Amino acid sequence: MASGLFSDLLVIDCASFIAGPAAATVMSDFGARVIKIEPPGIGDSYRNLFRLRGTPDDLDYFWTLDSRNKESLAIDLKQPAAYAALETLIRKADVFITNYPFPVRERLRLRAEDVTPLNPRLIYASLTPYGEHGPERDRTGFDTTAWWARSGLMDMVRATPDTEAALSMPGMGDHPTAMGMYSAIITALYRRQLTGEGGVVTTSLLANGIWSNSCQVQASLCGYELTGRPPRGQRGAMVETYHTLEGRAFILTTTNPARDWPLLARAVGHPEWLEDPLFATPADRFANQGILVARLDEVFRSDVWEVWRERLDRGAVTFGIVGQVSDHVSDPQVEANAMLPEFADGYGLRTVDSPFHIEGETKFAPRMAPDIGQHTRQILEECGLGADEIEALAG
């Protein structure tokens, strides 16, 4: 990575799993050099997460996604020589990212007060489950517990009030939280450009979860008592999910029913519904929404998704298919916007791009995630260690 927007930045990823490391991944997409610190032998625990899902082969898709472009330095930070090598890197680095629990940081001397004196221009980025302060600052947590469950999202995202709360998908809260961490880092780098000084930036899974659920949280702050979603057929026919002939699901959405109701009636081939007294006014449609939902169910089940997509598009109706993961592999819209770039180093694979572009700046074609300690000897040599010292640390 010889050039790029962030090609002059050195980022130390001294974190684990997803939210912290993924912030470094985004920086690497724009050319930053990212050195991943992980324990020798076993590596980051994230490397084995995919096996817990019963994946039958050895292609670690989690690691492939979130550790692309990085260099792996596998050292035991409990060893004085290994910690000294890390200190050498910190003195040269621009960003240090960690999400280790505070007791672990204290034992390994990775707290902000341990690290920042080594480099006054360093941005120390700290990510926690529940925040830097308070009675839960030392609690462990993942996005399932701190972002999804604790924020209230898990409680509110149900098909009906009596539906069992759903588990989140892997990384569902981690990747948005990573963007919060990335934003904090870039803001601090801008401040450093103005002042010449580094500093500490923080975020948490809980803070990002509350932000993701902030419309509902703000309602509560304003004194509103929110209830769960009403059952299907009681929440408005134009904000509902329907199924086509072959069983594909899609959702209609409107913020202006008075404007959009005629568009929908015409798009589904029933302009006579506009004269039906059951649906004449918004109040009528609300009172008879169960009847309208049943009619739309029958209409949409009469033909396949491709037909309905074309008709709803032509009719200027706002809708969205309930996508399946495999849809993205051959989606022309995804392809047109380069959301799934190919790895540059001949593996015949694609990956998921970070979710923004900057006009005039070219992202780097992703490089495959490293093996455990793949770059250890090279990096230790850069740190000034001799052959015997490197052998002792790298094994």
Side-chain angles (χ1 to χ4, degrees), residues 53-64:
R53 307 192 77 206
T55 306
D57 56 38
D58 290 327
L59 181 57
D60 187 342
Y61 49 90
F62 288 143
W63 189 255
T64 297

Side-chain angles (χ1 to χ4, degrees), residues 81 85 88 376-395:
T88 299
T376 298
R377 294 177 182 275
Q378 169 198 330
I379 296 170
L380 291 178
E381 187 174 322
E382 291 177 24
C383 291
L385 275 68
D388 291 344
E389 296 172 298
I390 292 173
E391 187 62 32
L393 288 177

Side-chain angles (χ1 to χ4, degrees), residues 216-265:
Q216 280 57 246
V217 174
Q218 186 65 56
S220 183
L221 293 172
C222 291
Y224 290 92
E225 184 174 346
L226 300 178
T227 58
R229 283 201 177 110
R232 189 169 187 275
Q234 296 182 22
R235 52 192 177 222
M238 297 182 67
V239 287
E240 191 54 89
T241 303
Y242 298 94
H243 291 82
T244 63
L245 178 63
E246 78 275 41
R248 286 308 301 258
F250 68 97
I251 187 168
L252 299 177
T253 299
T254 181
T255 56
N256 189 341
R259 177 198 63 198
D260 294 338
W261 162 239
L263 299 177
L264 176 62

Side-chain angles (χ1 to χ4, degrees), residues 9 39 66 79 91 95 161 176 203 218 256 258 271 300 306 318 380:
L9 296 181
D66 289 311
Q79 295 188 37
R91 290 188 176 95
V95 180
T203 192
Q218 186 65 56
N256 189 341
F300 287 129
E306 289 301 322
T318 300
L380 291 178

Side-chain angles (χ1 to χ4, degrees), residues 65-80:
L65 169 64
D66 289 311
S67 294
R68 63 172 180 256
N69 308 327
K70 299 180 183 181
E71 302 170 36
S72 172
L73 172 60
I75 52 175
D76 181 0
L77 293 176
K78 294 187 291 296
Q79 295 188 37

Side-chain angles (χ1 to χ4, degrees), residues 7-24:
S7 61
D8 61 339
L9 296 181
L10 172 59
V11 178
I12 299 176
D13 172 3
C14 192
S16 185
F17 280 88
I18 305 176

Side-chain angles (χ1 to χ4, degrees), residues 101-297:
F102 288 116
V104 175
R105 295 188 209 183
E106 184 173 5
R107 286 198 302 272
L108 296 178
R109 290 179 292 161
L110 296 176
R111 298 170 299 175
E113 55 264 43
D114 301 314
V115 172
T116 55
L118 300 172
N119 181 351
R121 288 178 54 81
L122 183 74
I123 308 303
Y124 180 96
S126 171
L127 190 141
T128 60
Y130 299 103
E132 303 283 315
H133 310 287
E136 298 178 67
R137 73 185 296 269
D138 292 340
R139 282 190 62 199
T140 57
F142 297 96
D143 67 341
T144 299
T145 58
W147 184 89
W148 178 241
R150 184 64 174 276
S151 69
L153 284 166
M154 185 175 182
D155 180 57
M156 300 198 75
V157 181
R158 305 173 188 244
T160 64
D162 56 355
T163 301
E164 184 68 23
L167 294 176
S168 59
M169 296 304 294
M172 195 168 92
D174 282 315
H175 286 106
T177 299
M179 298 311 298
M181 183 89 273
Y182 171 85
S183 300
I185 292 167
I186 299 306
T187 304
L189 286 171
Y190 177 72
R191 185 182 70 173
R192 189 182 76 172
Q193 180 178 317
L194 298 177
T195 67
E197 297 179 358
V200 178
V201 299
T202 69
T203 192
S204 68
L205 291 166
L206 177 58
N208 283 274
I210 291 175
W211 178 249
S212 297
N213 199 22
S214 56
C215 290
Q216 280 57 246
V217 174
Q218 186 65 56
S220 183
L221 293 172
C222 291
Y224 290 92
E225 184 174 346
L226 300 178
T227 58
R229 283 201 177 110
R232 189 169 187 275
Q234 296 182 22
R235 52 192 177 222
M238 297 182 67
V239 287
E240 191 54 89
T241 303
Y242 298 94
H243 291 82
T244 63
L245 178 63
E246 78 275 41
R248 286 308 301 258
F250 68 97
I251 187 168
L252 299 177
T253 299
T254 181
T255 56
N256 189 341
R259 177 198 63 198
D260 294 338
W261 162 239
L263 299 177
L264 176 62
R266 295 186 183 106
V268 300
H270 287 281
E272 75 278 6
W273 288 355
L274 300 176
E275 309 302 324
D276 191 324
L278 289 173
F279 314 131
T281 67
D284 293 328
R285 291 192 294 277
F286 184 80
N288 297 295
Q289 58 188 311
I291 297 172
L292 182 53
V293 167
R295 289 194 187 182
L296 288 168
D297 276 338

